Amino acid sequence: MLALLLACAPLPPLLPLDVTPQLRANSTEAAQLLQAARNDEQLYARLVELCIHHPGRLAGTDALTGAVNRTLGWMLADKQENVRAEPVQVPVWVRGEESLQMLAPQQRSLGLLGLGGSVGTPGLEGDVVVLSSFEELSEAVRGKIVLFDVPMATTTPSLEAYGQAVQFRVHGASRASRFGAIAVLVRSVTTRSLYTPHTGGTHYEADIQPIPTAAIPPEEAAAIRLLLAAGEEVRLRLKMDAKSLPDGPSANVIGELRGSELPDQIVVLGAHLDSWDVGQGAHDDGAGVVQVVEALRILRESGLRPRRTLRAVLYTNEENGLRGGKAYAEAHHDEPHLAAVESDLGGGMPLGWSSTGSLEQQNWFAEVAQRTGLSRLRDGGGADISTLNGILQIGLLPDDSHYFDFHHTHADTVDHVDPTALKEGLAAMLLLAWELGNADGMEPGIWTIEPG
Ligand SMILES: [Zn+2]
């Protein structure tokens, strides 16, 4: 009966983001933690360390291996418990040299970034067709280079607009290949640009001929569209050395603060250690990595110990494989987990939380979330923890109004991360970890592994 009632209970309404929410401490312990987070100077120092020593932490690179070793060293130095690197085999994709030339009506070079996972080409030439949707695909693109020129909507928060715009990056090559296109270019997924191309993963469906695919700066997408509208024919030459190599070794980095009363119940705090091969992966997701590491360190040094075990998990290979998240799910599905939290939307000011779970879990979480001063604002969670079906999944929602300016670009560098906002995000993660580690009223669960 209770379950039935809960199943019928509506979720609390989602709050609009028209006021800046403030973190709130719910107890003297929480107040102590909040203060420690706001005073944490090591947070930004560690982000700098990660970014300048290990830029471009794509799966299979020495940079990612270095980041695994560095963060392991941090957790050992912080005297966390059960610190280890759990091996994960990851896909290896190498960008190599790449170039895009306009041959007509002008002769000049264009900026580009090949999309992760793309096949290469020793050099192909073709006339360009500009499309604004998948519905416009037809036999007319056979033998042509297709440009999907679809701007990302300028709505706030940006996450939904990103989800809509990114489909051309992810599916464009497969869809256009079915109609005989020889290559696909996409307008970079962003709302603001100073001639910045944005990379990201692409996906080839199993039954299509893989064709090369790359992102170009929004300015070039606009220029090509305008040239075509002016009656010009636009001809391009694309060269990409991109290739996929056999899987290579990597690891998830894990450390724990064992619970005082219920050590077998786990609350995961997570972020992903890898990044794209360009930029420093500062917002995506160095910010989340140092927030997770520092949240555990502050708790350890405070002497406060929540009832449940808090487990920091730095996932490998979120960007082009999700192998770290999947490996964690495989390796730990026998352990009772109460919740998994992820910080993977950059180092902006924290505004609220997203979550995914049963109605009962969502309602419970909406109440627990209030104790941090931040509300549950929407459905969601995080890519790495999406593998934990059945467990309450929670995502930190920072102000993302500038996140997608830097996302997956050469410009995702540590100088673009605001130290004060980063600390506030740490404080939010720490307060939530404390509440989840101690809260009553919800039993932990385990998840089911999808076959295959
Ligand atoms: Zn990310």
Tab-separated table of all heavy atoms in Angstrom, residues 3-44:
chain	number	residue	atom	x	y	z
A	3	ALA	N	3.883	1.413	-0.982
A	3	ALA	CA	4.553	1.503	-2.286
A	3	ALA	C	3.614	2.084	-3.330
A	3	ALA	O	4.015	2.894	-4.163
A	3	ALA	CB	5.036	0.117	-2.724
A	4	LEU	N	2.334	1.660	-3.246
A	4	LEU	CA	1.361	2.144	-4.213
A	4	LEU	C	1.166	3.651	-4.076
A	4	LEU	O	1.131	4.388	-5.046
A	4	LEU	CB	0.025	1.419	-3.997
A	4	LEU	CG	-0.994	1.564	-5.128
A	4	LEU	CD1	-0.480	0.856	-6.372
A	4	LEU	CD2	-2.333	0.972	-4.704
A	5	LEU	N	1.074	4.080	-2.802
A	5	LEU	CA	0.904	5.521	-2.571
A	5	LEU	C	2.088	6.300	-3.127
A	5	LEU	O	1.927	7.327	-3.779
A	5	LEU	CB	0.788	5.784	-1.061
A	5	LEU	CG	-0.600	5.597	-0.465
A	5	LEU	CD1	-0.536	5.789	1.042
A	5	LEU	CD2	-1.581	6.591	-1.090
A	6	LEU	N	3.270	5.769	-2.845
A	6	LEU	CA	4.461	6.467	-3.313
A	6	LEU	C	4.511	6.511	-4.833
A	6	LEU	O	4.887	7.504	-5.426
A	6	LEU	CB	5.724	5.789	-2.761
A	6	LEU	CG	6.026	6.093	-1.294
A	6	LEU	CD1	7.077	5.140	-0.777
A	6	LEU	CD2	6.472	7.539	-1.145
A	7	ALA	N	4.061	5.387	-5.436
A	7	ALA	CA	4.100	5.327	-6.895
A	7	ALA	C	3.172	6.360	-7.506
A	7	ALA	O	3.370	6.800	-8.617
A	7	ALA	CB	3.723	3.927	-7.366
A	8	CYS	N	2.120	6.748	-6.746
A	8	CYS	CA	1.170	7.722	-7.275
A	8	CYS	C	1.556	9.153	-6.913
A	8	CYS	O	1.009	10.105	-7.462
A	8	CYS	CB	-0.237	7.461	-6.745
A	8	CYS	SG	-0.858	5.835	-7.218
A	9	ALA	N	2.452	9.297	-5.921
A	9	ALA	CA	2.775	10.648	-5.466
A	9	ALA	C	3.510	11.406	-6.575
A	9	ALA	O	4.440	10.883	-7.162
A	9	ALA	CB	3.671	10.570	-4.230
A	10	PRO	N	3.073	12.632	-6.858
A	10	PRO	CA	3.787	13.399	-7.890
A	10	PRO	C	5.143	13.846	-7.370
A	10	PRO	O	5.304	14.038	-6.160
A	10	PRO	CB	2.863	14.593	-8.128
A	10	PRO	CG	2.097	14.750	-6.852
A	10	PRO	CD	1.988	13.379	-6.235
A	11	LEU	N	6.093	14.019	-8.263
A	11	LEU	CA	7.388	14.565	-7.870
A	11	LEU	C	7.200	16.024	-7.471
A	11	LEU	O	6.311	16.690	-7.978
A	11	LEU	CB	8.360	14.489	-9.042
A	11	LEU	CG	8.987	13.121	-9.281
A	11	LEU	CD1	9.781	13.142	-10.566
A	11	LEU	CD2	9.873	12.726	-8.129
A	12	PRO	N	8.026	16.504	-6.557
A	12	PRO	CA	7.944	17.929	-6.227
A	12	PRO	C	8.197	18.747	-7.495
A	12	PRO	O	8.941	18.315	-8.373
A	12	PRO	CB	9.083	18.128	-5.229
A	12	PRO	CG	9.536	16.774	-4.827
A	12	PRO	CD	9.093	15.810	-5.862
A	13	PRO	N	7.576	19.917	-7.598
A	13	PRO	CA	7.779	20.720	-8.807
A	13	PRO	C	9.229	21.156	-8.946
A	13	PRO	O	9.906	21.381	-7.950
A	13	PRO	CB	6.862	21.926	-8.577
A	13	PRO	CG	6.632	21.977	-7.109
A	13	PRO	CD	6.725	20.579	-6.611
A	14	LEU	N	9.684	21.236	-10.175
A	14	LEU	CA	11.046	21.701	-10.414
A	14	LEU	C	11.072	23.223	-10.303
A	14	LEU	O	10.196	23.907	-10.818
A	14	LEU	CB	11.514	21.277	-11.806
A	14	LEU	CG	11.441	19.777	-12.062
A	14	LEU	CD1	12.128	19.440	-13.379
A	14	LEU	CD2	12.078	18.981	-10.938
A	15	LEU	N	12.071	23.735	-9.606
A	15	LEU	CA	12.129	25.176	-9.386
A	15	LEU	C	12.754	25.877	-10.584
A	15	LEU	O	13.683	25.367	-11.189
A	15	LEU	CB	12.967	25.477	-8.138
A	15	LEU	CG	12.440	24.885	-6.845
A	15	LEU	CD1	13.362	25.262	-5.696
A	15	LEU	CD2	11.039	25.391	-6.558
A	16	PRO	N	12.275	27.045	-10.923
A	16	PRO	CA	12.932	27.818	-11.975
A	16	PRO	C	14.252	28.389	-11.461
A	16	PRO	O	14.421	28.578	-10.258
A	16	PRO	CB	11.927	28.934	-12.273
A	16	PRO	CG	11.147	29.090	-11.017
A	16	PRO	CD	11.123	27.740	-10.357
A	17	LEU	N	15.154	28.662	-12.382
A	17	LEU	CA	16.476	29.149	-11.979
A	17	LEU	C	16.514	30.675	-12.022
A	17	LEU	O	17.401	31.272	-12.585
A	17	LEU	CB	17.537	28.591	-12.925
A	17	LEU	CG	17.827	27.104	-12.796
A	17	LEU	CD1	18.839	26.664	-13.826
A	17	LEU	CD2	18.339	26.784	-11.412
A	18	ASP	N	15.518	31.322	-11.392
A	18	ASP	CA	15.512	32.783	-11.483
A	18	ASP	C	16.127	33.452	-10.270
A	18	ASP	O	16.239	34.658	-10.205
A	18	ASP	CB	14.090	33.308	-11.743
A	18	ASP	CG	13.095	32.774	-10.718
A	18	ASP	OD1	13.530	32.014	-9.828
A	18	ASP	OD2	11.916	33.123	-10.813
A	19	VAL	N	16.521	32.683	-9.276
A	19	VAL	CA	17.258	33.239	-8.146
A	19	VAL	C	18.510	32.395	-7.952
A	19	VAL	O	18.510	31.217	-8.264
A	19	VAL	CB	16.435	33.200	-6.839
A	19	VAL	CG1	15.343	34.254	-6.862
A	19	VAL	CG2	15.842	31.829	-6.611
A	20	THR	N	19.565	33.012	-7.467
A	20	THR	CA	20.781	32.255	-7.196
A	20	THR	C	20.646	31.601	-5.838
A	20	THR	O	20.545	32.290	-4.828
A	20	THR	CB	22.006	33.183	-7.204
A	20	THR	OG1	22.028	33.861	-8.449
A	20	THR	CG2	23.283	32.381	-7.039
A	21	PRO	N	20.602	30.272	-5.804
A	21	PRO	CA	20.426	29.596	-4.525
A	21	PRO	C	21.710	29.657	-3.685
A	21	PRO	O	22.799	29.795	-4.226
A	21	PRO	CB	20.103	28.160	-4.911
A	21	PRO	CG	20.411	28.028	-6.346
A	21	PRO	CD	20.749	29.353	-6.916
A	22	GLN	N	21.539	29.581	-2.397
A	22	GLN	CA	22.667	29.645	-1.472
A	22	GLN	C	22.803	28.314	-0.753
A	22	GLN	O	21.809	27.746	-0.321
A	22	GLN	CB	22.435	30.746	-0.429
A	22	GLN	CG	22.302	32.140	-1.020
A	22	GLN	CD	23.599	32.652	-1.603
A	22	GLN	OE1	24.671	32.349	-1.065
A	22	GLN	NE2	23.526	33.378	-2.698
A	23	LEU	N	24.036	27.877	-0.604
A	23	LEU	CA	24.269	26.668	0.182
A	23	LEU	C	23.891	26.937	1.631
A	23	LEU	O	24.026	28.058	2.123
A	23	LEU	CB	25.743	26.278	0.108
A	23	LEU	CG	26.232	25.802	-1.251
A	23	LEU	CD1	27.731	25.543	-1.199
A	23	LEU	CD2	25.486	24.550	-1.673
A	24	ARG	N	23.444	25.867	2.294
A	24	ARG	CA	23.038	26.012	3.685
A	24	ARG	C	23.556	24.818	4.473
A	24	ARG	O	23.437	23.672	4.018
A	24	ARG	CB	21.520	26.079	3.769
A	24	ARG	CG	21.006	26.423	5.155
A	24	ARG	CD	19.483	26.558	5.165
A	24	ARG	NE	18.828	25.303	4.841
A	24	ARG	CZ	17.934	25.146	3.859
A	24	ARG	NH1	17.619	26.154	3.084
A	24	ARG	NH2	17.373	23.989	3.643
A	25	ALA	N	24.091	25.078	5.641
A	25	ALA	CA	24.525	23.994	6.517
A	25	ALA	C	23.375	23.610	7.426
A	25	ALA	O	22.718	24.473	7.998
A	25	ALA	CB	25.732	24.435	7.340
A	26	ASN	N	23.145	22.311	7.548
A	26	ASN	CA	21.989	21.794	8.256
A	26	ASN	C	22.309	21.390	9.698
A	26	ASN	O	21.443	20.946	10.427
A	26	ASN	CB	21.474	20.586	7.458
A	26	ASN	CG	20.154	20.070	7.954
A	26	ASN	OD1	19.247	20.849	8.166
A	26	ASN	ND2	20.066	18.765	8.149
A	27	SER	N	23.597	21.503	10.076
A	27	SER	CA	24.030	21.070	11.412
A	27	SER	C	25.369	21.735	11.699
A	27	SER	O	25.968	22.339	10.802
A	27	SER	CB	24.197	19.543	11.442
A	27	SER	OG	25.195	19.156	10.502
A	28	THR	N	25.859	21.605	12.911
A	28	THR	CA	27.164	22.201	13.221
A	28	THR	C	28.271	21.503	12.440
A	28	THR	O	29.218	22.136	11.988
A	28	THR	CB	27.482	22.122	14.734
A	28	THR	OG1	27.215	20.785	15.168
A	28	THR	CG2	26.637	23.098	15.518
A	29	GLU	N	28.101	20.185	12.243
A	29	GLU	CA	29.102	19.457	11.447
A	29	GLU	C	29.108	19.979	10.012
A	29	GLU	O	30.171	20.206	9.421
A	29	GLU	CB	28.806	17.954	11.439
A	29	GLU	CG	29.026	17.240	12.767
A	29	GLU	CD	27.774	17.256	13.637
A	29	GLU	OE1	26.808	17.986	13.295
A	29	GLU	OE2	27.769	16.560	14.666
A	30	ALA	N	27.913	20.153	9.462
A	30	ALA	CA	27.822	20.640	8.086
A	30	ALA	C	28.412	22.049	7.974
A	30	ALA	O	29.071	22.381	6.982
A	30	ALA	CB	26.372	20.615	7.606
A	31	ALA	N	28.177	22.868	8.994
A	31	ALA	CA	28.721	24.229	8.983
A	31	ALA	C	30.246	24.197	8.969
A	31	ALA	O	30.908	24.974	8.267
A	31	ALA	CB	28.214	25.006	10.194
A	32	GLN	N	30.820	23.256	9.745
A	32	GLN	CA	32.271	23.110	9.781
A	32	GLN	C	32.802	22.714	8.400
A	32	GLN	O	33.814	23.243	7.917
A	32	GLN	CB	32.626	22.032	10.823
A	32	GLN	CG	34.111	21.759	10.957
A	32	GLN	CD	34.390	20.538	11.855
A	32	GLN	OE1	33.554	20.151	12.689
A	32	GLN	NE2	35.567	19.942	11.673
A	33	LEU	N	32.093	21.797	7.730
A	33	LEU	CA	32.519	21.325	6.411
A	33	LEU	C	32.391	22.440	5.362
A	33	LEU	O	33.274	22.618	4.511
A	33	LEU	CB	31.699	20.107	5.989
A	33	LEU	CG	31.897	18.867	6.860
A	33	LEU	CD1	30.887	17.778	6.483
A	33	LEU	CD2	33.331	18.327	6.745
A	34	LEU	N	31.298	23.175	5.444
A	34	LEU	CA	31.074	24.269	4.499
A	34	LEU	C	32.198	25.294	4.592
A	34	LEU	O	32.744	25.743	3.575
A	34	LEU	CB	29.715	24.916	4.794
A	34	LEU	CG	29.282	26.098	3.928
A	34	LEU	CD1	29.240	25.732	2.457
A	34	LEU	CD2	27.898	26.593	4.377
A	35	GLN	N	32.562	25.625	5.812
A	35	GLN	CA	33.642	26.593	6.018
A	35	GLN	C	34.961	26.061	5.475
A	35	GLN	O	35.714	26.785	4.813
A	35	GLN	CB	33.769	26.897	7.524
A	35	GLN	CG	34.525	28.169	7.824
A	35	GLN	CD	33.914	29.372	7.107
A	35	GLN	OE1	32.701	29.557	7.107
A	35	GLN	NE2	34.740	30.173	6.439
A	36	ALA	N	35.218	24.787	5.733
A	36	ALA	CA	36.482	24.187	5.260
A	36	ALA	C	36.552	24.199	3.734
A	36	ALA	O	37.611	24.452	3.152
A	36	ALA	CB	36.603	22.760	5.799
A	37	ALA	N	35.422	23.944	3.080
A	37	ALA	CA	35.416	23.947	1.611
A	37	ALA	C	35.687	25.344	1.076
A	37	ALA	O	36.454	25.533	0.131
A	37	ALA	CB	34.066	23.433	1.093
A	38	ARG	N	35.052	26.329	1.709
A	38	ARG	CA	35.237	27.710	1.225
A	38	ARG	C	36.637	28.232	1.497
A	38	ARG	O	37.073	29.200	0.879
A	38	ARG	CB	34.175	28.621	1.867
A	38	ARG	CG	32.798	28.376	1.250
A	38	ARG	CD	31.713	29.187	1.908
A	38	ARG	NE	30.471	29.111	1.133
A	38	ARG	CZ	29.270	29.420	1.617
A	38	ARG	NH1	29.149	29.825	2.859
A	38	ARG	NH2	28.208	29.336	0.849
A	39	ASN	N	37.350	27.591	2.434
A	39	ASN	CA	38.728	27.998	2.722
A	39	ASN	C	39.760	27.128	2.022
A	39	ASN	O	40.955	27.272	2.265
A	39	ASN	CB	38.995	27.918	4.242
A	39	ASN	CG	38.227	28.973	5.009
A	39	ASN	OD1	37.836	29.991	4.439
A	39	ASN	ND2	37.998	28.729	6.291
A	40	ASP	N	39.317	26.223	1.173
A	40	ASP	CA	40.237	25.218	0.619
A	40	ASP	C	41.071	25.789	-0.543
A	40	ASP	O	40.593	25.894	-1.660
A	40	ASP	CB	39.439	23.998	0.130
A	40	ASP	CG	40.353	22.899	-0.398
A	40	ASP	OD1	41.595	23.062	-0.319
A	40	ASP	OD2	39.837	21.886	-0.898
A	41	GLU	N	42.313	26.131	-0.259
A	41	GLU	CA	43.195	26.666	-1.301
A	41	GLU	C	43.830	25.545	-2.126
A	41	GLU	O	44.351	25.781	-3.210
A	41	GLU	CB	44.294	27.539	-0.672
A	41	GLU	CG	43.756	28.770	0.059
A	41	GLU	CD	42.811	29.616	-0.800
A	41	GLU	OE1	43.066	29.761	-2.015
A	41	GLU	OE2	41.798	30.108	-0.260
A	42	GLN	N	43.829	24.349	-1.597
A	42	GLN	CA	44.462	23.240	-2.329
A	42	GLN	C	43.609	22.792	-3.525
A	42	GLN	O	44.112	22.214	-4.476
A	42	GLN	CB	44.679	22.051	-1.386
A	42	GLN	CG	45.400	20.890	-2.053
A	42	GLN	CD	45.927	19.892	-1.058
A	42	GLN	OE1	47.051	20.011	-0.602
A	42	GLN	NE2	45.094	18.930	-0.711
A	43	LEU	N	42.316	23.098	-3.478
A	43	LEU	CA	41.410	22.688	-4.546
A	43	LEU	C	41.897	23.205	-5.896
A	43	LEU	O	42.092	22.435	-6.850
A	43	LEU	CB	40.003	23.223	-4.245
A	43	LEU	CG	38.941	22.970	-5.315
A	43	LEU	CD1	38.530	21.507	-5.330
A	43	LEU	CD2	37.721	23.861	-5.078
A	44	TYR	N	42.090	24.503	-5.974
A	44	TYR	CA	42.482	25.089	-7.254
A	44	TYR	C	43.922	24.704	-7.597
A	44	TYR	O	44.253	24.468	-8.757
A	44	TYR	CB	42.330	26.611	-7.208
A	44	TYR	CG	42.254	27.227	-8.584
A	44	TYR	CD1	41.080	27.141	-9.328
A	44	TYR	CD2	43.347	27.880	-9.151
A	44	TYR	CE1	40.989	27.697	-10.595
A	44	TYR	CE2	43.261	28.441	-10.422
A	44	TYR	CZ	42.081	28.344	-11.132
A	44	TYR	OH	42.007	28.891	-12.397
